[in-house]
Amino acid sequence: MSDIDVRPPRKTETNGSVEYVPVTKEDVAFVGTGPVPTKPYVDEQWYEDEKEAIFRRVWLHVGRIDEVANPGDFIVREIEAVGVSLLIVRGNDGNLRAFHNVCMHRGTELVCATEGTARSFSCPYHKWTYANTGELRGVPDNGNFFDLDKTKFPLMEVALDVCAGFVFVNLDRHPKQTLREYLGTWADSLEGLNIDVSDVFSEYVYDVDANWKVAYDNFQEIYHGRFVHPRSIGRSTMAPENPFGYPTKYTFREENLHRSKTLWNNPHFTPDGPIEALASELTRAGMAKGPVSGAKRPSTEHYYIFPNITVLSSPLYTFTQTIWPLGPARCRSVIRMYWTGADKNASTRFAREYRMAALLDIHSEDRDIIEAAQKGLSSRALDTVLFQVHEVTCRHFAAAVDRYVTDYRAEVAAKRSGEAL
Ligand code: FES
Ligand SMILES: [Fe+2]
């Protein structure tokens, strides 16, 4: 499997800026050109199948290693779409593991807290107790069970792996690929962010009345920026030579999985007033300590990791947006911006808060339009939608979802016909 780069040749101008050369229809036609069905955005059965085909089978990003840095540190993560609660814990042996947050006696939810530090976990029902490495250690009135061998009932482990400090899990009991195989060169990209040095992040979470893919698509294309975000990002991303602020490069993982785009930075950009200028200056001076400050490359990249992660890496900061399905027309967006070290003084605090406020501003602008898009789609007036050149990311994503759901349905059908024989 290899990657496909779509990158028109460019030249650096005498003033140091890079001329804008648009990506063309011919460049991206291999991803497809026709209308795309709306059914995946509105159909309840499609949503049910996505849960099994995608969210129970692929690697999902659930946290950062700094959330579980020391022995006993744990976080509990709900994967609402599939009704799964995970206990992610660093054992006293130093190893990080994920378990179903389910007691092996009669299935009760084991840990109610969302995070903490513990040497062991006791089920609230009959007090079966597990070490933070998963072994079953204590069973009250053990003698009244029938030949109970405690070594056979550790917590049920879930596949877990880490890339660039991002913790991933896979709910498949036998994942078909390792995390590294799944991410391909996107693993190298994540590691190239220098984000491992980050040990603290800021976060905000908001729910949207839209299918998770409608919300994800919104962040995949910049076509809408000119109309929805003129105030917030217009000046930094658009200029007469590139009035829509279109990206200069796209990269696609073969087999329709992950994708990335390189944003065009407006060489004529000037800050909008003294506060923005000050925040930019503080960030640039390292006050916000984004882990990519002084990054090896000056460009701003969006990495889209299937199924639901966006990583934005700029020379000044890095943030992720993870979109979790909550229902056919509801989802949750988790935004995290990554820093290094605690904010030790008011300047650092200001620079970080400014970055978060600016990001929240952009997402606030998006929220209503995403919900309006869902409302129209849910009316079922349209059977198909159209994607232009710079919505190729949405088209590529739609193809990935379609492939997973189609393969899953074929597998279920084959199993049924096998059983019928
Ligand atoms: S269900 Fe957990 S101890 Fe009984
Ligand atoms: Fe937007």
Side-chain angles (χ1 to χ4, degrees), residues 218-219 221 224 228-229 362 366:
N218 172 76
F219 213 66
E221 54 90 357
H224 71 277
V228 176
H229 305 297
I362 298 166
D366 279 324

Side-chain angles (χ1 to χ4, degrees), residues 9 43 48 51 60 65 100 123 169 199 232 238 240 250-251 253 286 290 297 331 357 377 379 396 403 418-419:
D43 186 74
E48 291 303 314
K51 293 198 244 176
L60 303 169
I65 45 167
H100 281 282
C123 176
V169 296
D199 55 2
S232 57
M238 292 155 219
Y250 295 96
T251 302
R253 178 88 168 137
R297 44 164 181 57
C331 63
L377 288 167
S379 76
H396 186 255
R403 183 166 66 88
E419 281 164 5

Side-chain angles (χ1 to χ4, degrees), residues 343-406:
D343 41 2
K344 296 189 192 75
N345 55 41
S347 299
T348 307
R349 179 91 197 193
F350 168 75
R352 291 182 181 182
E353 291 292 335
Y354 183 88
R355 279 289 146 231
M356 286 298 280
L359 194 56
L360 182 59
D361 208 18
I362 298 166
H363 289 132
S364 304
E365 291 171 341
D366 279 324
R367 190 169 166 175
D368 286 352
I369 202 69
I370 295 169
E371 292 186 346
Q374 185 66 47
K375 202 169 166 205
L377 288 167
S378 295
S379 76
R380 312 255 179 154
L382 304 183
D383 292 333
T384 56
V385 288
L386 304 172
F387 290 137
Q388 56 111 301
V389 170
H390 293 279
E391 290 164 305
V392 62
T393 39
C394 308
R395 184 188 292 281
H396 186 255
F397 173 51
V401 171
D402 183 77
R403 183 166 66 88
Y404 268 81
V405 171
T406 302

Side-chain angles (χ1 to χ4, degrees), residues 103-108 110 123-128 130:
C103 176
M104 298 301 290
H105 175 216
R106 277 166 49 196
T108 303
L110 182 64
C123 176
Y125 210 167
H126 315 92
K127 289 289 174 199
W128 281 33
Y130 304 85

